[in-house]
Amino acid sequence: MLLSNNYNSYTQQDGLYADNATNEEDGASSDATEGHDDEDEIYEGEYQGVPVALADEEELAQQYELIMQECGHGRFQWQLFFVLGLALMSDGVEVFVVGFVLPSAETDMCVPNSGAGWLGSIVYLGMMFGAFFWGGLSDKVGRRQCLLISMSVNGFFAFLSSFVQGYSMFLFCRMVSGFGIGGAVPIVFSYFAEVLAREKRGEHLSWLCMFWMIGGIYASAMAWAIIPHYGWSFSMGSAYQFHSWRVFVVVCALPCVSAVVALTFMPESPRFYLEMGKHDEAWMVLKHIHDTNMRARGEPERVFTVSTPWALHFIIPAAAEPLIWLTFMKCFNHPVKENTMKLAAVWFTLSFGYYGLSVWFPDVIKHLQADEYASRVKIHNNERIEDFTFNFTLENQIHRNGVFVNDRFISMKFKAVTFIDSSFLNCYFEDVSSVGSFFRNCTFVDSFFYNTDIDDTKLTNSRVINSSFHHNKTGCQMTFDDDYSAYWVYFVNFLGTLAVLPGNIVSALLMDKIGRLSMLGGSMVLSGISCFFLWFGTSESMMIFMLCLYNGLSISAWNSLDVVTTELYPTDRRGTGFGFCNAMCKLAAVLGNLIFGSLVGITKAIPILLASSVLVGGGLVGLRLPDTRANVLM
């Protein structure tokens, strides 16, 4: 692309045109602009076409770098920053939604133990395939278009999942939703990097990472504010229940919807257009970036021109490769093969440690709370109660060998109450709900049940003689209005997410000063060491402090890794390479869920040692990557 009058002398000397005759005939109808640059004394002439000249990738990248410097950094980049930030925020929300709705959805939909835990794994699997697919597709059809489609898929199925009732359908919706949002990370960073000049790239990609943290804070705050409020629900008969956790799912889809709307007003990456040989489109986008920034600076009279003796002359590809797989295989060709292997290892280790601990840690807190709760249980032995009306909540109690005669249980609740070897003679139960309560080896004689949730699942090895059940409550009863730990668990997650804010700020300010690799390796090694000190956590408060410290140290590694991955791949395979690395990240998340989740309540030595050693090892591999601080985007 030539944007100055130097075009004529340059191309005549070179003598190579994409289509010489066509350019001469159509020159009069080409786009033209008016203006004069007083500093360079170069007038912008007509945009007459693109000469085909042989040049290596480094020279072409340098030319594009000069164009981006001419465009400046201003209003356009900040507009795109917030739009792509919403998309990245949606990815953070999706990750946290999984953990927050998991106990809610499984309880509401009566999921047996055999099906528990599938939600977390299947969502990460969807994100894994989505990262690879959308990242690769963005190298073929464009960053903006792929991001629009993937975010639309995520928003639609996330919204739909809040209304479906069956657990299988809910799993399907969340899996497809995860498949959609899987494209966010690889496309967002590729897209934004391609409109940033080199000296701005490290810092502003790091600032962009903050939106993932904002997504986590948003999800944690909404879960804390919405899910424990059981009263925020409605039902349509006994078949359709819309509980508070479903409201939370709808609210968490709002950032994605906002991102889709905002993306419709943004242009495609000009760097992608140039790679595809669409030079007219690229010129228009670059001119739009330049004019937007100049108007914001109060210099609307400045024209878009390149003050160098050459111009962009990217070669139009002979034939674009139609398959994502072919582009993926190019990521394993020289000279990027070794970098791809190292990046995959770093992404895998960092994700395995982070997501593994994110599953293990909240459950450890819950176990600590459950043990403390169980230590306060009240035990009643050999009691006999006759002609008494229970219209209040019984909580955290065990009743052994009790006898209840002519008693009435009306508009009340059993919460964590267990009856063992007890008898109920001529008793009346009406509007009773039982949360975590069971009747073991009990006997019911001449008793009447109306509008209760007491069914075979609550009556373990119990006998029911001459008793009747009427209008039993269907479905599983939610516990969030009474969950003693709900508020605290969500608040702990909120604190853990908020703890990454200082690390985010530090990494953004120092990314271009101390280097990507120093920050990447140092952050992973330090987070691995801090993870090891979880071993010495003996109290809830100490464990929470160590979690916040770990999150604050590890965020710099994530930010550095995003920047390094973006800069190591050339344009024609940047989305594919980033998508592959992010797919490895999600695969590690699945394995972390399975391995760390199985160790909850058994031992803390293995999770801590495993996560610590994996993080330190990944950090050492990261230090072996090439330094990209001085790179231009190829």
Side-chain angles (χ1 to χ4, degrees), residues 92 200 329 600:
K200 297 287 186 181
M329 294 308 297
V600 173

Side-chain angles (χ1 to χ4, degrees), residues 389-409:
T389 299
F390 293 87
N391 56 5
F392 48 87
T393 298
L394 297 180
E395 179 178 359
N396 200 17
Q397 299 178 6
I398 296 177
H399 297 261
R400 287 195 179 96
N401 299 312
V403 177
F404 301 86
V405 182
N406 296 325
D407 293 321
R408 294 165 298 281
F409 300 84

Side-chain angles (χ1 to χ4, degrees), residues 94-166:
E94 187 77 19
V95 169
F96 282 86
V97 165
V98 172
F100 291 149
V101 306
L102 187 60
S104 317
E106 290 176 345
T107 302
D108 190 17
M109 298 178 181
C110 308
V111 179
N113 291 333
S114 59
W118 269 104
L119 179 58
S121 298
I122 205 166
V123 170
Y124 284 127
L125 284 173
M127 296 174 78
M128 180 182 73
F129 288 108
F132 181 78
F133 176 79
W134 295 113
L137 194 63
S138 71
D139 285 333
K140 298 302 178 186
V141 303
R143 319 301 194 203
R144 173 184 172 274
Q145 185 172 348
C146 275
L147 189 58
L148 263 175
I149 298 173
S150 65
M151 296 298 293
S152 298
V153 169
N154 170 249
F156 176 78
F157 282 94
F159 187 77
L160 182 63
S161 70
S162 67
F163 295 96
V164 299
Q165 291 291 294

Side-chain angles (χ1 to χ4, degrees), residues 586-607:
K586 297 307 184 288
L587 175 62
V590 173
L591 295 177
N593 268 275
L594 297 176
I595 295 174
F596 284 74
S598 64
L599 296 173
V600 173
I602 299 176
T603 176
K604 69 177 182 179
I606 296 178

Side-chain angles (χ1 to χ4, degrees), residues 315-331:
I315 303 171
I316 300 177
E321 294 168 343
L323 299 177
I324 298 173
W325 180 256
L326 297 179
T327 308
F328 170 65
M329 294 308 297
K330 288 171 63 178
C331 294

